[in-house]
Amino acid sequence: CDKLKEKDSRIIVIHKKNGGLSDARNAGTMEATGEYISYIDSDDYVKETYIEYLYGLIKKYDCKMSLCTHIVSYENGKQEKIGNGMDEVLSAEQCLERMLYHDVIDTSAWAKLYHIDLAKKFLYPKGKLFEDIGNTYRFFIESGWIACGYKPQYYYMIRSNSIVTGSFNMRKLDLLEMTDEMAKVVEKK
């Protein structure tokens, strides 16, 4: 990381005790000085045009948030492309409905670009698994309108030992807590 900083002065390296994924996202968010922020999971990667594409959608539709589709990459090398290459702007309600029905739009923190004010307003719940479920719907509601691009720019890696695909443990019950809270908030809206 420090070598990357030497190549590009815009890179800020944060050294901190491991507090989990949410804690890392929150630390980065609080140190961020730009107008927008995006999250990329450590085992995933993005196309070179990722930020340009997401930012272009925000400008095109005058929104505080954009999202793109992704390519699912499996350990065996197989890939599954999500998206038709089109784009549109959707209301928070439309995004929530499509997210809840797993209709291309998902609960992930990744493959999205957020105005920094949104990110700083809704920090991720520290120490929880499935923490992105605890915030994505909040970003949609607060944004009002979301620029949606269906041209895949993000590579989501499916690994046999990940949080999602690994064997069950009691911490996975965090999913119930996150979805219950989401249901309460969404029902009010």
Side-chain angles (χ1 to χ4, degrees), residues 3-188:
K3 288 184 181 183
L4 286 173
K5 185 177 180 178
E6 291 173 13
K7 290 182 180 180
D8 189 331
S9 63
R10 296 173 297 175
I11 294 173
I12 299 169
V13 178
I14 302 169
H15 296 281
K16 59 179 290 314
K17 182 180 176 185
N18 185 354
L21 184 54
S22 294
D23 193 42
R25 283 189 184 137
N26 293 342
T29 298
M30 296 315 292
E31 291 292 325
T33 58
E35 190 175 355
Y36 295 94
I37 192 166
S38 185
Y39 305 104
I40 302 169
D41 284 1
S42 61
D43 53 353
D44 298 341
Y45 60 100
V46 298
K47 290 187 175 184
E48 287 183 12
T49 55
Y50 173 68
I51 296 296
E52 178 183 5
Y53 180 73
L54 289 171
Y55 183 73
L57 290 168
I58 283 175
K59 290 303 176 191
K60 179 178 181 178
Y61 293 110
D62 192 26
C63 297
K64 291 184 176 184
M65 178 181 174
S66 64
L67 59 84
C68 66
T69 53
H70 58 280
I71 297 169
V72 180
S73 292
Y74 298 92
E75 286 178 312
N76 65 6
K78 182 182 171 193
Q79 291 188 331
E80 178 185 350
K81 190 182 215 182
I82 311 292
N84 61 14
M86 306 298 285
D87 61 68
E88 63 185 339
V89 65
L90 296 176
S91 69
E93 293 79 15
Q94 291 169 310
C95 272
L96 287 168
E97 182 176 345
R98 291 194 47 199
M99 179 188 76
L100 292 171
Y101 284 105
H102 301 281
D103 182 10
V104 180
I105 297 172
D106 59 44
T107 60
S108 67
W110 45 261
K112 295 169 179 69
L113 185 65
Y114 311 89
H115 192 278
I116 195 64
D117 293 344
L118 291 173
K120 289 185 178 185
K121 184 172 184 174
F122 299 111
L123 296 176
Y124 288 91
K126 187 177 174 185
K128 299 288 185 182
L129 298 182
F130 307 104
E131 76 295 333
D132 39 7
I133 292 172
N135 272 22
T136 300
Y137 70 94
R138 294 178 194 277
F139 292 134
F140 289 161
I141 292 168
E142 188 72 18
S143 296
W145 294 94
I146 299 88
C148 303
Y150 308 116
K151 182 178 178 182
Q153 298 290 302
Y154 191 97
Y155 289 86
Y156 174 60
M157 306 300 293
I158 300 284
R159 300 192 191 285
S160 57
N161 61 348
S162 72
I163 291 171
V164 174
T165 62
S167 60
F168 178 79
N169 65 59
M170 292 302 286
R171 289 200 58 221
K172 285 194 171 187
L173 292 177
D174 288 349
L175 176 61
L176 298 176
E177 181 184 341
M178 296 295 114
T179 55
D180 282 349
E181 178 64 23
M182 177 177 61
K184 289 175 191 172
V185 172
V186 169
E187 187 175 34
K188 287 179 185 176

